[in-house]
Amino acid sequence: MTKKGCRDWEPTLGLGANARIAQRTKKENASSTGQLMMDKSEKIFVAGHRGMVGSALVRRLKSEGFSNLLVRDRSKLDLKNAVTEFFAQEKPALVILAAAKVGGIKANNDFPVEFLLENLRIQNNVIQAAYENGARKLLFLGSSCIYPKFAPQPIPETALLSGPLEPTNEAYAIAKIAGIKLCQAYAREYGANFISVMPTNLYGPNDNFDLETSHVLAALLRKAHEAKMRKDRKLIVWGSGKPSREFLHVDDLASACLLLLEKYDSSEIINVGCGEDVSIRELAELICEVVGFDGDLAWDATKPDGTPRKLLDVSKLRALGWKPSIPLRDGIARTYEWFLANCAR
Ligand code: GDP
């Protein structure tokens, strides 16, 4: 593994471990999205195709037979700067905005300038260019951290802007809220079909396993694996273990996004989650079980807990006929398999 997690290798879209995951996902999710009626030859730009979410969307779109996918590496197209020419040349019909600067509680807390600026730049550029070049639909990916720290649980979409945010991820949340508002403004002022999807905490292949910048699930998978290899007797977990989080496998998110691309045409935000949460302590225990680490957990109280609970109300999505298909334990086992194949020393 590199010092920076395993970000320097190329996600092998449609190959090896990813291909096996994609095949399994296709079978499992067949009933979640039903038969997609969309034109499979429409040009779809997936912004952020190398990230966890973007690469899951590309796998899913490919496995559903979409044949006209448009992607660009960061070295060829910097979404933070000029995108006008690219959009004018390519004129994608559909745009999925999965490009973002993302990170766990520590990274968000330590780098508010970068989280705010980079995300505002990327989303402003892409959303404006999509409209100006005639995209017929855009799907903007937000996050469950847009909701107030003490929102009612499970959190309904109507909780947006009803109270103060959790300080550890305020900069990222403000950027995402600005993206939602820009999509809604394009819809109201110009009739654009720009939708905003709020996923809960995600995990899966191509997650970031860097301990400084990752989210909790990837961090604990790596820590448990390394503790097992070193035959350590304890594993350090941040905070008190009391906060709870909802976790959705990214392949489930991809299947929900396809359904929403096909069926959801409202500028009102819509939550995507599995409807269940676990405490960080329960998550840590489950990960240790899956990985096979049988030492003790030790709690690092110098690290922040963040928001106490973040469980999304997913009744709106359920009413469209979608449900997740990857239980947490299976999802963790698969992600561990992927980590071993792609990141572990
Ligand atoms: P959040 O959902 O925005 O708070 O982001 P994270 O996924 O980074 O953190 C979720 C919770 O897991 C917080 O209470 C963290 O303190 C806790 N946690 C426990 N151990 C770790 C760890 O090793 N890394 C991270 N990122 N979070 C951890």
Side-chain angles (χ1 to χ4, degrees):
M1 160 149 329
T2 65
K3 289 267 179 302
K4 286 223 153 266
C6 59
R7 280 309 195 190
D8 60 340
W9 59 275
E10 303 276 289
T12 48
L13 300 176
L15 291 172
N18 281 335
R20 290 197 302 279
I21 291 163
Q23 274 170 2
R24 277 194 308 231
T25 308
K26 188 174 176 184
K27 279 187 216 140
E28 283 161 5
N29 281 344
S31 61
S32 303
T33 43
Q35 192 66 40
L36 288 168
M37 306 302 289
M38 286 161 62
D39 175 359
K40 304 249 165 103
S41 65
E42 266 191 314
K43 191 184 271 188
I44 307 180
F45 175 44
V46 181
H49 71 289
R50 290 199 176 273
M52 175 172 65
V53 172
S55 59
L57 280 157
V58 169
R59 281 197 302 277
R60 181 76 192 190
L61 286 162
K62 281 185 177 169
S63 77
E64 291 281 349
F66 287 86
S67 57
N68 199 356
L69 301 184
L70 176 63
V71 296
R72 277 291 181 284
D73 284 355
R74 196 177 295 193
S75 58
K76 305 232 166 55
L77 179 70
D78 181 359
L79 298 173
K80 293 194 292 303
N81 294 317
V83 298
T84 324
E85 205 177 307
F86 167 77
F87 271 86
Q89 262 166 22
E90 297 290 348
K91 296 208 176 295
L94 295 170
V95 175
I96 302 179
L97 182 37
K101 180 171 180 62
V102 295
I105 193 163
K106 185 172 188 306
N108 266 280
N109 206 22
D110 292 352
F111 303 108
V113 172
E114 288 71 18
F115 276 86
L116 195 48
L117 269 187
E118 288 186 28
N119 285 309
L120 285 172
R121 280 193 187 150
I122 292 169
Q123 66 205 32
N124 287 348
N125 284 342
V126 173
I127 294 169
Q128 183 180 7
Y131 175 71
E132 288 176 354
N133 290 284
R136 78 163 177 85
K137 189 162 184 173
L138 175 142
L139 187 153
F140 173 64
L141 279 147
S143 159
S144 58
C145 72
I146 56 148
Y147 292 114
K149 176 170 183 152
F150 298 112
Q153 305 285 328
I155 313 173
E157 287 87 352
T158 50
L160 179 62
L161 292 175
S162 63
L165 296 164
E166 155 60 33
T168 52
N169 55 32
E170 192 180 50
Y172 178 72
I174 292 279
K176 287 291 177 185
I177 293 171
I180 295 168
K181 290 295 165 189
L182 187 58
C183 288
Q184 292 178 339
Y186 269 110
R188 184 161 67 85
E189 192 174 336
Y190 298 117
N193 189 4
F194 287 1
I195 67 170
S196 300
V197 174
M198 299 308 117
T200 193
N201 290 36
L202 301 168
Y203 69 98
N206 293 327
D207 206 342
N208 169 19
F209 290 90
D210 177 330
L211 297 182
E212 287 292 299
T213 56
S214 59
H215 281 279
V216 60
L217 196 150
L220 293 183
L221 253 185
R222 179 175 166 187
K223 283 183 185 175
H225 171 74
E226 292 180 353
K228 179 177 89 168
M229 301 313 281
R230 287 193 301 257
K231 300 191 169 39
D232 288 352
R233 290 317 305 154
K234 72 175 186 193
L235 184 156
I236 295 171
V237 189
W238 295 356
S240 65
K242 290 190 184 124
S244 62
R245 296 287 184 272
E246 176 187 14
F247 296 97
L248 184 73
H249 193 283
V250 70
D251 288 340
D252 271 335
L253 172 74
S255 110
C257 286
L258 258 64
L259 177 95
L260 294 168
L261 268 180
E262 171 144 314
K263 286 197 179 166
Y264 190 75
D265 292 325
S266 163
S267 65
E268 294 299 320
I269 61 175
I270 182 160
N271 290 340
V272 180
C274 65
E276 284 169 24
D277 59 353
V278 292
S279 71
I280 298 301
R281 176 183 290 276
E282 288 166 332
L283 176 75
E285 287 168 357
L286 183 55
I287 288 176
C288 289
E289 240 178 86
V290 170
V291 169
F293 171 71
D294 57 7
D296 298 323
L297 300 178
W299 301 94
D300 177 358
T302 65
K303 295 288 193 304
D305 267 347
T307 205
R309 196 174 180 207
K310 227 184 337 178
L311 175 66
L312 293 180
D313 180 341
V314 287
S315 41
K316 205 162 143 178
L317 180 64
R318 287 279 168 107
L320 291 174
W322 185 86
K323 58 178 172 34
S325 63
I326 307 173
L328 184 57
R329 177 185 288 272
D330 291 5
I332 292 174
R334 277 185 202 194
T335 308
Y336 185 43
E337 193 184 310
W338 185 91
F339 171 84
L340 289 175
N342 292 281
C343 298
R345 274 183 282 226

